[in-house]
Amino acid sequence: AQSVAQPEDQVNVAEGNPLTVKCTYSVSGNPYLFWYVQYPNRGLQFLLKYITGDNLVKGSYGFEAEFNKSQTSFHLKKPSALVSDSALYFCAVRDRGSQGNLIFGKGTKLSVKP
Amino acid sequence: NAGVTQTPKFQVLKTGQSMTLQCAQDMNHEYMSWYRQDPGMGLRLIHYSVGAGITDQGEVPNGYNVSRSTTEDFPLRLLSAAPSQTSVYFCASSYDRRQARDSYNSPLHFGNGTRLTVT
């Protein structure tokens, strides 16, 4: 069965510093991977996806993610964090065996301090 | 476009009561789904639909019913509310993978959620 894991419940970063939010996956075959962000009292918003091709994927709001097949990881990164990046971040994988529904990780809370 | 609209935003029910959470989208998306979000558990799929007249169960379907009579609407019904159904519910939609090859990986568009408390 497909699954994703986000090993950190919370990540704390100072504004201006680089940030990384970790995600590892377990799939059979080639993975389809996604990152979403949730701001308080809002629904999730799509950030980026990896389907195939370049291992470094660029997305919205200056975020990017690095796909590493050997480590089965898809970490979210940003070179310089903003206070406004503080939110809940979800990694997701497409479940090939279930009409392609998305399976979400448990989420990582990112806190960026000024 | 309004995107995905969910109503109500908040609801308090007593155990045993029934209610319907409404979801509508104006993007002509074939795929629609319901998730529940609980602390420390991420999002779990309740039911989904790949088109009008077609529904299927997700990971946690017990206690919930859905129907899809139109492309736009996908209501979620709680048959007899239980405290374990206290959660935040999200409706999401996307292009269905049957429409075009690229649609298989079209992103989900989420509503702003319904916060449900069952006492």
Side-chain angles (χ1 to χ4, degrees):
Chain A
Q2 272 62 231
S3 66
V4 291
Q6 295 181 243
E8 301 156 317
D9 291 336
Q10 180 153 349
V11 171
N12 299 312
V13 177
E15 187 176 30
N17 283 0
L19 70 87
T20 299
V21 182
K22 296 180 180 178
C23 173
T24 59
Y25 65 89
S26 174
V27 302
S28 55
N30 293 324
Y32 295 159
L33 298 159
F34 302 78
W35 275 102
Y36 285 79
V37 59
Q38 183 182 32
Y39 297 103
N41 301 313
R42 301 296 299 273
L44 279 69
Q45 298 177 29
F46 169 75
L47 277 179
L48 52 81
K49 65 183 178 184
Y50 173 83
I51 306 302
T52 186
D54 291 339
N55 291 339
L56 188 63
V57 179
K58 294 191 182 297
S60 307
Y61 312 121
F63 283 94
E64 56 191 26
E66 186 172 9
F67 172 72
N68 187 316
K69 188 171 184 178
S70 62
Q71 296 185 5
T72 62
S73 66
F74 188 55
H75 299 333
L76 182 69
K77 300 184 178 185
K78 188 173 183 181
S80 178
L82 300 173
V83 172
S84 57
D85 292 331
S86 299
L88 192 55
Y89 290 81
F90 290 94
C91 183
V93 65
R94 187 168 295 282
D95 185 354
R96 292 167 175 265
S98 176
Q99 297 270 4
N101 295 308
L102 284 187
I103 299 171
F104 287 87
K106 295 184 178 181
T108 298
K109 183 179 180 181
L110 174 66
S111 178
V112 182
K113 300 295 186 185
Chain B
N1 290 345
V4 179
T5 302
Q6 289 184 238
T7 56
K9 292 183 179 180
F10 302 95
Q11 183 70 50
V12 179
L13 292 178
K14 295 185 187 301
T15 297
Q17 288 184 315
S18 62
M19 78 158 295
T20 299
L21 279 62
Q22 301 291 346
C23 175
Q25 53 89 11
D26 61 358
M27 297 172 283
N28 201 31
H29 286 168
E30 291 288 340
Y31 178 91
M32 296 186 74
S33 56
W34 278 101
Y35 287 87
R36 59 178 288 173
Q37 182 179 23
D38 301 292
M41 302 191 73
L43 279 79
R44 293 180 293 169
L45 182 65
I46 304 172
H47 285 283
Y48 65 97
S49 168
V50 296
I54 305 169
T55 64
D56 208 344
Q57 296 181 350
E59 179 186 358
V60 288
N62 292 342
Y64 307 95
N65 271 357
V66 292
S67 59
R68 187 90 180 274
S69 56
T70 66
T71 298
E72 293 78 19
D73 300 299
F74 190 45
L76 177 72
R77 296 182 185 85
L78 278 70
L79 309 173
S80 177
S84 60
Q85 293 178 305
T86 293
S87 186
V88 182
Y89 292 85
F90 287 99
C91 179
S93 71
S94 73
Y95 289 113
D96 181 65
R97 59 192 175 97
R98 298 175 303 174
Q99 287 184 342
R101 203 177 89 189
D102 289 344
S103 72
Y104 186 68
N105 289 301
S106 294
L108 285 175
H109 296 256
F110 283 81
N112 285 330
T114 295
R115 186 174 294 273
L116 175 68
T117 302
V118 183
T119 62

